[in-house]
Amino acid sequence: MTRFIDLADMSRLVNLTGIAPFIKQLVDYIEHDFKRWSAFDKTPRVASHSAVGVIELMPTADAELYGFKYVNGHPQNALNNQLTVMAFGALAEVKTGFPLLLCEFTLATALRTAATSVMAAKYLANQDAKSMAVIGNGAQSEFQIIGFNEVLGLTDFYLYDIDPQATEKLMGNLNAYPGITLHFCRSVDEAVANADIITTLTADKANATIITAQQVKPGVHVNAVGGDCPGKTELDAELLTLADVFVEFPEQTRIEGEIQQMPQDFAVTELWEVICGHEIGRRSRDSITVFDSVGFAIEDFSALRLMHDLAQQHHIGKSIDLVPQPENPRDLYRLLCRQE
């Protein structure tokens, strides 16, 4: 039987500990898998692009487990009161191909994106960072704030969105959250002025310049999350030339990330190499660092592992007959020819 985790089950899984501890645990799972980077099959995600969005498959596997995520990105969905990002995931055992888990992954994507951002900042930001500008206050923003507060101890968050209602939504959700102070900002300049970390989370599928080189002070870490497909960027190219740029999987990031603006030989450092101690992260207190985050399949694999572990431990989810298991594996036909 395959374990199925729907939206209600996913909520139960997260609320066993709470959102913040769940993100912290997910950081540990992702960091563990990045430390064994060479153990994974790796390929850029398979993307089907249209004029209005993208639908993608994100697969990876180690010697024991295979995982994939189906995910879309349709910015205009918000105009029709639909989610811009929706996803589901699956985990299977390599030795048989049997599907162990089929699960909700829209919430999981927001959680793992926040966890990946936090993990990168753990290695790239100044250790005494206390404030963050959040540019783009849509569906991902609360998770980022909770993760950075829980794991790295950030307390002040400067919020800006071109739609003030998005910022009001965010503040309404987190105003009572303990240990953080939220600042409503009316421009990007106001938001980044006092920020040790800048996180960009915009949704429009466009080559935009949300952050310029002149807006980023020495010592700032930029967590660029929104630029995640061809033709969609958030950072000024000049900023990339001034910064040390870190990526997940270069073969994918050069197609989809901020560095799609740059020559193919533009120098970047893979984040796993920093985590394993093979490369330097932050070179000095005044260095500008950029995490060009597009989301990679190993991060989803880590989230699937965590969800599977918790679901087994706490007996959450439903057992479903996703694939046939006939008495005679050579007689599939009989499953359709049941006697009266």
Side-chain angles (χ1 to χ4, degrees), residues 62-319:
D62 63 10
E64 296 183 2
L65 295 170
Y66 172 92
F68 78 86
K69 181 176 75 174
Y70 164 100
V71 63
N72 78 305
H74 286 73
Q76 297 304 311
N77 278 6
L79 299 177
N80 298 313
N81 203 32
Q82 291 180 303
L83 290 171
T84 61
V85 175
M86 296 169 280
F88 64 86
L91 195 66
E93 58 182 19
V94 167
K95 65 181 180 181
T96 65
F98 187 84
L100 302 171
L101 179 70
L102 177 66
C103 64
E104 186 286 331
F105 221 88
T106 305
L107 287 172
T109 293
L111 290 159
R112 78 90 165 121
T113 301
T116 304
S117 296
V118 170
M119 181 187 69
K122 176 181 173 182
Y123 288 91
L124 302 178
N126 279 312
Q127 293 187 355
D128 60 352
K130 291 298 179 185
S131 61
M132 183 165 81
V134 182
I135 312 301
N137 299 158
Q140 296 264 348
S141 54
E142 290 90 347
F143 300 97
Q144 295 277 335
I145 290 171
I146 290 171
F148 275 91
N149 172 255
E150 172 72 11
V151 181
L152 299 184
L154 272 63
T155 55
D156 281 84
F157 296 89
Y158 297 87
L159 316 176
Y160 174 71
D161 195 293
I162 57 173
D163 179 4
Q165 290 184 344
T167 307
E168 291 167 2
K169 175 271 304 181
L170 169 53
M171 297 188 76
N173 284 339
L174 296 186
N175 254 336
Y177 196 88
I180 67 172
T181 303
L182 303 176
H183 305 268
F184 190 109
C185 299
R186 300 191 179 281
S187 68
V188 172
D189 285 335
E190 182 183 352
V192 303
N194 298 301
D196 300 316
I197 297 172
I198 299 170
T199 291
T200 55
L201 296 161
T202 61
D204 284 345
K205 188 177 179 181
N207 285 317
T209 302
I210 308 300
I211 301 294
T212 68
Q214 291 71 33
Q215 290 171 315
V216 180
K217 301 177 298 184
V220 166
H221 170 61
V222 180
N223 179 38
V225 178
D228 59 358
C229 68
K232 183 182 178 186
T233 58
E234 297 179 310
L235 305 185
D236 179 11
E238 182 184 355
L239 172 58
L240 300 176
T241 65
L242 298 175
D244 296 318
V245 179
F246 300 83
V247 303
E248 292 139 315
F249 187 57
E251 290 89 336
Q252 179 174 299
T253 311
R254 291 191 190 278
I255 297 170
E256 301 178 347
E258 297 299 328
I259 60 172
Q260 66 184 272
Q261 311 174 64
M262 312 305 287
Q264 280 295 307
D265 60 353
F266 179 74
V268 298
T269 302
E270 295 182 53
L271 184 60
W272 74 269
E273 295 183 294
V274 178
I275 293 172
C276 290
H278 302 326
E279 296 287 348
I280 296 173
R282 174 163 289 275
R283 292 183 294 106
S284 73
R285 183 168 182 81
D286 288 337
S287 297
I288 296 173
T289 54
V290 170
F291 176 42
D292 188 0
S293 173
V294 297
F296 188 58
I298 291 175
E299 298 149 22
D300 300 314
F301 180 95
S302 304
L304 287 164
R305 281 203 309 114
L306 175 58
M307 292 165 65
H308 188 243
D309 289 349
L310 290 175
Q312 286 188 306
Q313 179 182 347
H314 297 283
H315 307 289
I316 291 176
K318 309 164 187 67
S319 293

Side-chain angles (χ1 to χ4, degrees), residues 7 35 243 258 332:
L7 182 61
K35 286 180 178 178
E258 297 299 328
L332 193 61

